[in-house]
C-alpha cells in the first residue's frame, strides 16, 4: 500500500494541474498582454482573471480595463466584465487569427471630449491616432480572395465569425461647450458577423452584418434598433437602417435652441437610412415631433427670440410634425461633423416648415464638404467625427483621394 502512495500523490497533482492549467497559463500571459496593449493604445491596460484552455481552444477574461490618459475627467475609457472567445487554433500556423465566437457580457465604452489650446481632444481619437489608423494609405490594387484557411499567404489575417454583446453602454460626454451635453446608449445587445481583415485586400461587396438593440437617453429611455450590411474591415462602408422610438424631446432641448420658451414635454421618433462607401456618407432621416409643449416665455425671451414665435406655435398646434432631413458629407473631412450637420439641417428644416405654413414635408440637404483625406474606419468616423485633431490644418495636401 505504501508503494502506491506516490502514485496517488502524482495523480492528484496531475488532476490539480489539469484543473488549474487554464488559469496558470492566463496568469503567465496577462502581464505580457497588458504591456503590448498599453503600448498599442497609449493608455494603461489592466487584465484580471485570464484563462487560456488550449485543449478547448478557449480564452476567457473576467475583467478588462482601458484607462484614460491624463486630462480626461473619467478614469476608465473602456471596461468589460466577462469575455469569452472560441478560437480556431489549427489555422494559426497559416498566420491566421480566427475567432469563431466572441461574447462580451457587460461593457461600458465612455467617450469624452474637451477643448485644449490646440483644439478639441477625445479619448477615442487618442488611441486611434496612436495606432496610425488615421494615416493615408495608397490605393490597393484588386486581388483575388485568399484561401479560406489563409494557406500560402505572407500577411497575417484576422477574422471574427461572430461577435455578441449581452449588455453594453456607450456614454458620450461632450465638454467642449460651457453647457455640457451627454448622449447615452444603454442595455445594448446584438451581434456583428463576418469581420475579415487581410492586409492588401479590399472586398468588392459588403460581407459583414450588424444588428443592435438598445435604449437611448434616460428621460425616459427611448428604444433604439438598427442594423444592416457593412464592411468595416476595409474602411468606411455600411448600409444600415436605424430607428429611435418615443425619445424625450425635453432631454435634447438644445436642438430647439432659440425657440420661445423651454421644452416642457413631447416625444420624437427618428427613422434613418445611412449609406457610406469609402467615407462618402449619404443619409436620409424622417423625424417626427409629437405633442410638443413649451413653458411660457419670459419677457426677455420674447424680446430676444421673437423670430421663433412661429416655430413654437407650429410645434404646439400640430399633434405630429414630420421633417425630412438629408445629411450628406465626407466623414473623413476634418470640417464635417455628423452631429452638428444633423442639428443644423434639422433647425433649417424646422424654419422652412414654419415658413411653408405647416403644409407638406420640407426637403433639406446639406451639401457634402470637400473631400480632403481618406476615410476613417466606422468606429473612428461615427464615434470620433466630432473630435478630429485641430493640429491637422485645413491646408494639408490631399492624399489618396481626389476632390469632387
Amino acid at each position: 500500500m505504501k508503494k502506491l502512495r506516490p502514485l496517488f500523490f502524482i495523480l492528484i497533482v496531475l488532476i490539480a494541474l489539469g484543473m488549474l492549467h487554464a488559469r496558470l497559463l492566463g496568469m503567465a500571459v496577462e502581464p505580457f498582454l497588458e504591456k503590448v496593449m498599453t503600448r498599442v493604445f497609449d493608455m494603461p491596460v489592466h487584465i484580471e482573471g485570464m484563462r487560456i484552455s488550449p485543449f478547448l481552444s478557449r480564452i476567457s477574461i473576467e475583467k478588462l480595463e482601458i484607462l484614460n490618459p491624463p486630462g480626461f475627467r473619467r478614469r476608465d475609457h473602456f471596461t468589460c466584465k466577462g469575455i469569452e472567445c472560441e478560437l480556431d487554433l489549427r489555422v494559426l500556423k497559416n498566420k491566421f487569427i480566427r475567432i469563431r465566437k466572441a461574447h462580451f457580457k457587460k461593457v461600458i465604452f465612455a467617450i469624452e471630449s474637451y477643448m485644449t489650446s490646440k483644439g478639441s481632444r477625445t479619448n477615442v481619437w487618442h488611441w486611434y491616432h496612436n495606432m496610425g489608423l488615421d494615416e493615408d494609405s495608397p490605393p490597393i490594387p484588386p486581388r483575388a480572395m485568399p484561401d479560406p484557411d489563409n494557406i500560402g499567404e505572407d500577411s497575417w489575417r484576422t477574422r471574427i465569425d461572430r461577435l455578441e454583446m449581452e449588455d453594453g453602454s456607450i456614454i458620450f460626454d461632450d465638454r467642449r461647450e460651457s453647457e455640457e451635453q451627454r448622449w447615452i446608449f444603454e442595455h445594448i445587445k446584438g451581434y456583428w458577423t463576418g469581420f475579415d481583415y487581410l492586409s492588401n485586400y479590399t472586398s468588392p461587396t459588403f460581407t459583414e452584418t450588424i444588428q443592435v438593440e438598445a435604449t437611448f437617453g434616460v428621460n425616459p429611455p427611448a428604444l433604439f434598433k438598427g442594423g444592416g450590411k457593412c464592411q468595416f474591415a476595409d474602411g468606411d462602408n455600411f448600409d444600415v437602417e436605424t430607428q429611435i422610438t418615443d425619445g424625450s424631446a425635453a432631454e435634447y432641448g438644445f436642438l430647439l435652441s432659440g425657440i420661445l420658451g423651454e421644452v416642457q414635454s413631447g416625444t420624437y421618433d427618428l427613422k434613418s437610412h445611412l449609406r457610406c462607401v469609402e467615407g462618402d456618407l449619404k443619409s436620409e432621416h424622417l423625424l417626427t415631433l409629437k405633442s410638443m409643449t413649451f413653458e411660457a416665455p419670459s419677457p426677455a425671451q420674447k424680446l430676444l427670440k421673437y423670430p421663433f414665435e412661429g416655430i413654437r406655435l407650429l410645434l404646439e398646434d400640430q399633434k405630429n410634425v414630420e421633417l425630412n432631413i438629408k445629411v450628406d458629407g465626407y466623414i473623413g473631412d476634418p470640417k464635417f461633423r455628423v452631429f452638428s450637420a444633423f442639428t443644423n439641417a434639422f433647425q433649417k428644416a424646422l424654419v422652412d416648415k414654419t415658413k411653408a405654413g405647416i403644409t407638406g414635408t420640407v426637403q433639406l440637404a446639406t451639401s457634402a464638404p470637400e473631400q480632403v483625406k481618406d476615410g476613417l474606419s466606422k468606429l473612428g468616423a461615427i464615434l470620433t467625427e466630432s473630435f478630429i485633431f485641430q493640429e491637422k490644418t485645413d491646408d494639408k495636401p490631399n492624399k489618396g483621394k481626389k476632390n469632387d
Side-chain angles (χ1 to χ4, degrees):
M1 187 68 180
K2 292 182 178 180
K3 293 181 179 180
L4 295 177
R5 287 180 181 176
L7 294 178
F8 282 123
F9 177 75
I10 294 174
L11 182 60
I12 292 173
V13 171
L14 290 176
I15 292 174
L17 289 175
M19 296 176 62
L20 298 175
H21 80 281
R23 180 62 187 126
L24 293 174
L25 284 174
M27 291 173 64
V29 172
E30 276 180 9
F32 170 76
L33 189 57
E34 286 178 342
K35 184 177 180 180
V36 171
M37 293 182 67
T38 297
R39 184 175 66 251
V40 169
F41 291 106
D42 192 31
M43 292 179 171
V45 176
H46 299 314
I47 300 174
E48 298 178 11
M50 186 174 188
R51 289 174 171 79
I52 302 175
S53 303
F55 300 112
L56 300 177
S57 300
R58 291 181 180 176
I59 296 177
S60 65
I61 298 176
E62 292 181 2
K63 186 177 182 180
L64 169 65
E65 278 188 322
I66 302 177
L67 307 183
N68 277 318
F72 292 93
R73 180 180 297 172
R74 188 183 176 105
R75 173 182 177 271
D76 60 310
H77 171 46
F78 177 88
T79 302
C80 182
K81 296 180 179 180
I83 302 175
E84 300 282 346
C85 293
E86 298 178 8
L87 308 177
D88 186 353
L89 297 179
R90 66 182 180 82
V91 297
L92 193 59
K93 63 180 182 297
N94 302 331
K95 294 186 175 182
F96 190 3
I97 301 174
R98 184 171 188 178
I99 301 175
R100 291 195 175 277
K101 183 179 178 180
H103 185 85
F104 290 2
K105 291 185 179 179
K106 189 171 184 61
V107 177
I108 297 177
F109 185 35
I111 307 164
E112 186 178 337
S113 179
Y114 70 96
M115 294 302 297
T116 71
S117 59
K118 295 182 179 180
S120 178
R121 186 186 182 210
T122 177
N123 47 9
V124 173
W125 192 261
H126 181 90
W127 58 259
Y128 195 80
H129 176 73
N130 189 71
M131 294 175 67
L133 298 177
D134 57 331
E135 296 178 358
D136 298 317
S137 302
I140 299 176
R143 56 163 291 185
M145 182 67 182
D147 182 271
D149 290 337
N150 211 44
I151 298 175
E153 293 294 328
D154 295 328
S155 302
W156 279 92
R157 179 179 180 183
T158 301
R159 179 177 175 84
I160 304 175
D161 292 347
R162 184 180 179 90
L163 188 153
E164 298 176 344
M165 182 177 293
E166 185 175 325
D167 182 10
S169 299
I170 296 177
I171 303 172
F172 170 32
D173 287 318
D174 188 352
R175 298 166 43 202
R176 293 172 299 169
E177 303 294 338
S178 56
E179 185 176 351
E180 299 180 6
Q181 301 295 336
R182 167 169 279 199
W183 309 75
I184 301 177
F185 289 86
E186 291 184 296
H187 311 295
I188 302 173
K189 62 180 181 179
Y191 64 87
W192 173 18
T193 64
F195 178 87
D196 196 354
Y197 174 77
L198 178 67
S199 179
N200 299 325
Y201 175 77
T202 300
S203 174
T205 59
F206 291 5
T207 61
E208 303 169 31
T209 302
I210 188 169
Q211 291 290 333
V212 176
E213 291 185 8
T215 59
F216 179 65
V218 295
N219 188 30
L223 178 63
F224 172 88
K225 290 185 178 181
K229 290 290 186 179
C230 52
Q231 193 62 32
F232 300 153
D234 302 336
D236 302 324
N237 303 296
F238 54 91
D239 189 347
V240 298
E241 293 186 356
T242 65
Q243 65 179 36
I244 297 175
T245 306
D246 290 331
S248 170
E251 186 172 3
Y252 302 103
F254 68 90
L255 290 171
L256 298 167
S257 60
I259 298 176
L260 275 172
E262 301 300 326
V263 179
Q264 191 173 35
S265 65
T267 61
Y268 69 88
D269 295 341
L270 178 64
K271 294 182 179 180
S272 303
H273 179 207
L274 304 96
R275 179 174 175 83
C276 186
V277 179
E278 294 303 323
D280 187 11
L281 175 67
K282 307 290 184 182
S283 66
E284 296 181 350
H285 312 265
L286 175 61
L287 177 65
T288 304
L289 300 172
K290 301 180 294 183
S291 304
M292 299 287 293
T293 62
F294 296 82
E295 294 179 359
S298 65
Q301 287 177 320
K302 290 182 177 180
L303 179 64
L304 297 175
K305 303 179 180 181
Y306 176 76
F308 296 94
E309 170 71 5
I311 295 178
R312 183 176 67 85
L313 294 176
L314 164 68
L315 295 176
E316 289 190 322
D317 183 63
Q318 298 294 308
K319 184 175 182 180
N320 294 332
V321 175
E322 291 188 349
L323 299 171
N324 279 353
I325 303 171
K326 187 175 181 181
V327 179
D328 301 335
Y330 182 64
I331 60 179
D333 188 334
K335 298 178 181 178
F336 181 68
R337 299 175 180 178
V338 173
F339 290 144
S340 58
F342 180 87
T343 300
N344 292 336
F346 161 73
Q347 292 177 343
K348 290 179 181 178
L350 197 53
V351 171
D352 289 348
K353 179 88 171 186
T354 305
K355 291 180 179 178
I358 312 176
T359 61
T361 302
V362 176
Q363 302 287 342
L364 177 69
T366 59
S367 59
E370 183 184 23
Q371 298 184 351
V372 298
K373 63 188 293 294
D374 280 335
L376 308 174
S377 76
K378 169 63 165 57
L379 222 57
I382 297 303
L383 299 180
T384 73
E385 42 79 24
S386 302
F387 322 113
I388 292 179
F389 278 174
Q390 298 299 318
E391 299 173 16
K392 298 174 182 272
T393 56
D394 296 342
D395 58 353
K396 178 181 177 180
N398 293 342
K399 294 182 181 180
K401 279 279 183 185
K402 292 183 179 179
N403 294 338
D404 287 344

